[in-house]
């Protein structure tokens, strides 16, 4: 039986405990996607250990970061789309590492949710996906990607992963949830293609698997690769937990080392009962042999403790509670092991 404040090994990376600050968009990068001092401060403050117990958060994953300018979803989103950004990102990894905390980064392409020139598996908007503004023409559907363009985007993911490794990140997380491009391919609500990238579940997961394989090749065999899976669209006609039970072995075979569970193709849910995605971990953890991370409205240390103790999940992501309270992880450790 694991404990919340026990260590976990993922490939060559040792986490001192099971608490994770998951990726959350801050909207405070420079307009071209460069890192800012404000962002660096945000992460280093939450990484800082408790002075007495000398522990705090086990892992931080940096917010979704665009791999190409055309895949950018909001104006001040962080970018990892060219080599010129490596030095700024390295400054951040070094600052967080000085606090003794591993740092990952989530990489993404917005697809139909892009600011400009949206692209998608199919030339139509899913009516449930929130479309960002401004756009070239909000009345036009997104451009349906050709096979050659899909290949280009796979390379963008690989290049971004290579940059992340060079910048000193400890792991890569590929964003396949919340209605962004990889989720758009995975979901039958947004993927209406009739070629090898659409139709059956095996075809709809082809692009995500090819991205995972390319990222794995780019970073080598030792660096952990996480995948944030939109495991349940939570809409009629969308992907279901049963689909994800069938799909996850393919993702593992392609090269992932940890499954980060989320859901809702409309985007991340901001309201709901505590641990509202725990049902996904209950269904998927028994059928995988890699660690599982679950997020979703987790607010109290008691809930986090129980999720690990009951073997519902291996890692617990505490997002908005930690966003509003930088001391959440330090206080949680004191609550579990008071002096």
């Amino acid at each position: 039986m694991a404990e919340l404040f026990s260590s976990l090994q993922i490939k060559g990376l040792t986490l001192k405990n099971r608490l994770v600050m998951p990726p959350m968009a801050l909207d405070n990068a420079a307009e071209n996607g460069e890192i800012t001092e404000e962002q660096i401060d945000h992460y280093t403050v939450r990484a800082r250990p408790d002075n007495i117990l000398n522990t705090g958060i086990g892992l931080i994953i940096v917010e979704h970061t665009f791999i190409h300018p055309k895949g950018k979803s909001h104006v001040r989103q962080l970018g990892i789309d060219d080599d010129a950004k490596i030095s700024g990102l390295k400054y951040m990894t070094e600052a967080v590492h000085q606090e003794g905390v591993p740092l990952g980064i989530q990489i993404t392409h917005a697809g139909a949710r892009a600011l400009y020139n949206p692209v998608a598996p199919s030339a139509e908007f899913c009516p449930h996906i929130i479309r960002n503004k401004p756009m070239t023409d909000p009345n036009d559907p997104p451009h349906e990607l050709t096979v050659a363009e899909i290949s280009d985007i796979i390379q963008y993911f690989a290049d971004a992963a290579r940059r992340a490794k060079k910048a000193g990140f400890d792991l890569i997380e590929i964003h396949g949830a919340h209605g962004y491009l990889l989720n758009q391919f995975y979901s039958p609500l947004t993927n209406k293609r009739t070629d090898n990238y659409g139709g059956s579940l095996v075809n709809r997961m082809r692009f995500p698997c090819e991205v995972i394989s390319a990222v794995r090749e780019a970073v080598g065999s030792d660096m952990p690769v996480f995948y944030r899976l939109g495991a349940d669209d939570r809409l009629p006609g969308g992907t279901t937990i049963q689909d994800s039970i069938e799909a996850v072995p393919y993702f593992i075979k392609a090269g992932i080392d940890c499954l980060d569970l989320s859901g809702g193709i409309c985007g991340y849910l901001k309201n709901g009962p505590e641990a509202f995605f725990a049902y996904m971990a209950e269904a998927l953890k028994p059928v995988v042999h890699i660690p599982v991370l679950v997020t979703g409205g987790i607010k109290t240390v008691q809930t986090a403790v129980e999720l690990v103790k009951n073997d519902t999940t291996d890692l617990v992501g505490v997002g908005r509670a930690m966003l509003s309270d930088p001391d959440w992880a330090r206080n949680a450790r004191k609550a579990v092991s008071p002096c």
Side-chain angles (χ1 to χ4, degrees):
M1 180 175 64
E3 300 289 343
L4 181 64
F5 285 95
S6 63
S7 63
L8 180 67
Q9 187 85 14
I10 304 178
K11 291 223 161 185
L13 178 65
T14 301
L15 307 182
K16 62 188 176 185
N17 62 59
R18 312 302 183 91
L19 274 176
V20 179
M21 188 174 87
M24 292 173 285
L26 299 177
D27 291 317
N28 59 4
E31 287 195 15
N32 69 347
E34 289 279 359
I35 192 81
T36 62
E37 289 290 343
E38 186 180 0
Q39 286 178 311
I40 294 170
D41 290 345
H42 172 85
Y43 292 110
T44 53
V45 165
R46 286 158 179 80
R48 201 159 294 146
D50 176 79
N51 290 331
I52 298 174
L53 296 171
N54 195 32
T55 188
I57 193 76
L59 171 66
I60 292 174
I61 305 176
V62 171
E63 63 205 83
H64 73 156
T65 307
F66 64 87
I67 60 170
H68 189 275
K70 290 184 178 180
K72 187 176 182 178
S73 67
H74 49 92
V75 173
R76 298 189 65 189
Q77 183 182 5
L78 186 64
I80 193 166
D81 55 310
D82 65 71
D83 289 356
K85 293 185 172 70
I86 293 173
S87 60
L89 293 167
K90 188 173 180 64
Y91 184 40
M92 178 168 62
T93 61
E94 290 173 347
V96 172
H97 286 157
Q98 285 179 4
E99 305 296 343
V101 175
L103 189 67
I105 189 167
Q106 186 183 74
I107 56 177
T108 187
H109 190 294
R113 296 187 65 182
L115 271 174
Y116 302 100
N117 304 308
V119 298
S122 307
E124 56 183 76
F125 279 115
C126 173
H128 308 291
I129 289 183
I130 299 170
R131 288 155 49 185
N132 296 332
K133 299 289 183 72
M135 301 169 88
T136 304
D137 184 344
N139 297 313
D140 283 347
H143 166 68
E144 181 173 312
L145 289 165
T146 67
V147 172
E149 289 167 336
I150 290 171
S151 180
D152 288 341
I153 292 174
I154 292 169
Q155 187 61 51
Y156 300 153
F157 272 101
D159 290 343
R162 173 185 55 78
R163 293 182 190 110
K165 184 174 183 179
K166 194 169 182 179
F169 286 96
D170 299 289
L171 63 90
I172 306 295
E173 177 165 283
I174 303 165
H175 198 350
H178 306 166
Y180 293 108
L181 185 60
L182 291 173
N183 195 182
Q184 292 161 25
F185 269 84
Y186 184 54
S187 173
L189 292 173
T190 45
N191 187 343
K192 307 297 184 182
R193 298 177 74 97
T194 57
D195 62 3
N196 289 337
Y197 288 97
S200 68
L201 177 62
V202 170
N203 281 354
R204 297 197 316 273
M205 73 174 93
R206 188 181 306 278
F207 178 42
C209 284
E210 289 178 350
V211 168
I212 293 166
S213 295
V215 166
R216 167 56 65 206
E217 184 175 357
V219 301
S221 59
D222 295 333
M223 188 175 192
V225 175
F226 286 33
Y227 190 84
R228 174 163 273 193
L229 175 64
D232 183 356
D233 280 346
R234 300 166 70 94
L235 285 173
T239 50
T240 65
I241 287 294
Q242 184 56 46
D243 291 326
S244 293
I245 288 171
E246 296 176 30
V248 165
Y250 290 85
F251 296 146
I252 295 172
K253 184 177 180 181
I256 67 168
D257 304 299
C258 182
L259 184 64
D260 180 359
L261 294 172
S262 191
I265 195 168
C266 299
Y268 192 84
L269 301 179
K270 298 181 181 180
N271 299 303
E274 194 170 7
F276 49 74
F277 286 149
Y279 75 94
M280 298 179 181
E282 290 169 353
L284 285 160
K285 190 175 187 306
V287 301
V288 302
H289 62 270
I290 61 173
V292 170
L293 163 62
V294 71
T295 59
I298 298 164
K299 301 174 183 177
T300 65
V301 65
Q302 292 82 5
T303 297
V305 166
E306 290 300 314
L307 285 169
V308 176
K309 184 178 180 180
N310 295 338
D311 201 31
T312 301
T313 187
D314 301 286
L315 294 161
V316 179
V318 179
R320 297 184 184 280
M322 206 171 292
L323 195 63
S324 60
D325 179 10
D327 293 320
W328 195 98
R330 291 182 284 273
N331 291 335
R333 186 67 178 99
K334 291 176 184 176
V336 173
S337 299
C339 296

